[in-house]
Amino acid sequence: MNLLEQYGLLLALTISIAGTVFCLYGLARAIGPTRQEPGKDVPASSGVLSRDPVWGRYHARYYGYALLFLAFDMEMAFMYPWAVVYKEVGMVALLDMGVFLAILFLGLLYGWSQGAFRRQ
Amino acid sequence: MTVAIVLLALFGSAWLLAVIEGWMVTGRLSPAAPLFSGLAHLGRESILPRSPDRVFFEAAPVLLLVVAVLGMAVLPLAPDLIIADLGTGALFINAALAYVLVAVIMAGWGPDGAYAMIGGWRFLGQLIAYSMLIVMPITAVAMRAESLLNTAIVGSQAVLWNIVYQPLGFVLFFIAAMALAFRAPFDLPTAEGELGGGVDAEYTGVRLAVLRLARLTLVVTLASATTVFYLGGWHGPLLPPWAWSLIKTLAVAVSMLLVGRYLPRIREADLMRWCWILGIPLALLNIIIVGLLILVVP
């Protein structure tokens, strides 16, 4: 199987799973209608509609982690190709990535010292 | 044909897992219970909340199910029994599993309910905690296999399984996989005690049936990933390769359920703190240890 066929297969799988689920929905609807009653569609909040809008702004108390996460997530994009050729390149690869990781790790320690790992 | 066999194995394992979970909770072994429960959900009404974001609300359960199946599609059950042996398989599964977060946030945002919304945002924090512990151990696995092909990763473990070669990576990956599947003790987005079901709360009827199926399937997919990356995949004596894959996958999945049953739910702040001050340094250490082992021991 070539690459295009593989991705085509994955796309077909996605579409057929979604199609199956929608068939299930159709089946459930075909079983019978349901009665409309007031108050049945209130979201779970102890029976009353919430006073404040739910789609508001929330304080992301973990933003310190989130900033560090960005740095590490970018780094992982480089790690995968590096991991594949690692054994071939040998010691040089370990040193190269070691220096890179050490700098990143220092960033982690710095973030820790500045209270990034505390709920703000 | 391959597609049919893999899907049958996936959903069959999900059914077995549901039976075992029911056995652990109720003490009764009833193989038909998950099927009847699913049929009953078909007959129940599926309420749409008062002012939903309809697209997100409808898409979330479907997306979660699709993600779990796509993850399984790149994992081998036997040397030839794999739907798509992608050249970037180990990376593809990361990409697929990233959409679990999207699905959970959609399920939280969709119904316009406070508990669901809090559950969704909680899972975003949980992702920041567990995500690195999924990605970094897989890197160390790929270093040993010199490939991102999942079949090559299993092939590299013919003599020595990765659980022995890099036990640290296995432990980190196992914990992170449980957090990714949001099973207890990491079930923060659905926490029954605090959020009354959280992201699950607004789903009823057939939509709830799909959501539950998706969550079970996700556990099977992650257990299968653990098997492929750390437990030597299809390798084993006597039995045929596919049987070994299934046995190991089910064993990992059941151990995930067992661990969750005997531990209290962890607080989100604690989870993030432990993952970052302990988990990530250990994951980096794991990469360095594996790197040295590869160079020193041929």
Side-chain angles (χ1 to χ4, degrees), chain A residues 40-43 49-50 52-55, chain B residues 47-57 108-114 202:
Chain A
K40 191 156 68 176
D41 55 357
V42 174
L49 281 171
S50 34
D52 299 317
V54 169
W55 293 335
Chain B
I47 300 169
L48 196 65
R50 186 161 290 187
S51 52
D53 188 326
R54 189 79 193 262
V55 176
F56 279 13
F57 187 71
W109 181 279
D112 193 17
E202 309 302 338

Side-chain angles (χ1 to χ4, degrees), chain B residues 12-274:
Chain B
S13 308
W15 164 74
L16 256 180
L17 204 57
V19 172
I20 292 170
E21 193 179 15
W23 187 25
M24 288 196 316
V25 174
T26 62
R28 277 197 315 273
L29 192 62
S30 45
L35 304 178
F36 283 141
S37 166
L39 280 177
H41 274 306
L42 271 186
R44 287 183 196 136
E45 83 178 304
S46 190
I47 300 169
L48 196 65
R50 186 161 290 187
S51 52
D53 188 326
R54 189 79 193 262
V55 176
F56 279 13
F57 187 71
E58 301 284 9
V62 187
L63 182 61
L64 201 60
L65 186 60
V66 165
V67 163
V69 173
L70 281 187
M72 191 66 200
V74 296
L75 294 170
L77 285 178
D80 295 323
L81 206 57
I82 175 169
I83 293 181
D85 195 11
L86 288 177
T88 52
L91 188 61
F92 181 88
I93 191 162
N94 281 314
L97 293 176
Y99 278 88
V100 173
L101 168 81
V102 180
V104 172
I105 291 213
M106 276 177 164
W109 181 279
D112 193 17
Y115 291 166
M117 191 71 258
I118 292 172
W121 290 137
R122 264 190 188 182
F123 195 65
L124 182 57
Q126 194 167 324
L127 168 110
I128 291 174
Y130 73 70
S131 176
M132 281 299 120
L133 301 185
I134 294 273
V135 194
M136 285 179 173
I138 295 183
T139 316
V141 169
M143 279 162 75
R144 188 180 175 208
E146 288 187 90
S147 172
L148 294 177
L149 283 166
N150 282 332
T151 42
I153 285 175
V154 177
S156 74
Q157 302 173 57
V159 181
L160 188 65
W161 294 359
N162 271 339
I163 189 174
V164 186
Y165 196 83
Q166 31 187 311
L168 193 54
F170 169 76
V171 172
L172 293 172
F173 187 83
F174 185 83
I175 294 171
M178 268 169 52
L180 172 53
F182 53 109
R183 306 290 312 195
F186 302 108
D187 55 346
L188 293 168
T190 57
E192 280 85 1
E194 311 144 40
L195 293 180
V199 293
D200 281 356
E202 309 302 338
Y203 285 95
T204 42
V206 65
R207 293 190 184 95
L208 182 62
V210 173
L211 191 66
R212 287 201 177 149
L213 176 67
R215 288 192 60 185
L216 271 175
T217 318
L218 188 63
V219 176
V220 176
T221 301
L222 284 163
S224 179
T226 313
T227 306
V228 166
F229 293 146
Y230 289 99
L231 297 180
W234 63 71
H235 292 299
L238 297 177
L239 293 174
W242 57 268
W244 274 113
S245 289
L246 286 183
I247 290 171
K248 288 174 188 173
T249 302
L250 272 175
V252 173
V254 169
S255 62
M256 281 181 180
L257 294 187
L258 271 178
V259 169
R261 196 149 167 68
Y262 294 107
L263 286 179
R265 185 179 303 123
I266 189 169
R267 277 181 60 217
E268 188 198 311
D270 291 340
L271 175 65
M272 296 182 82
R273 195 171 166 77
W274 285 112

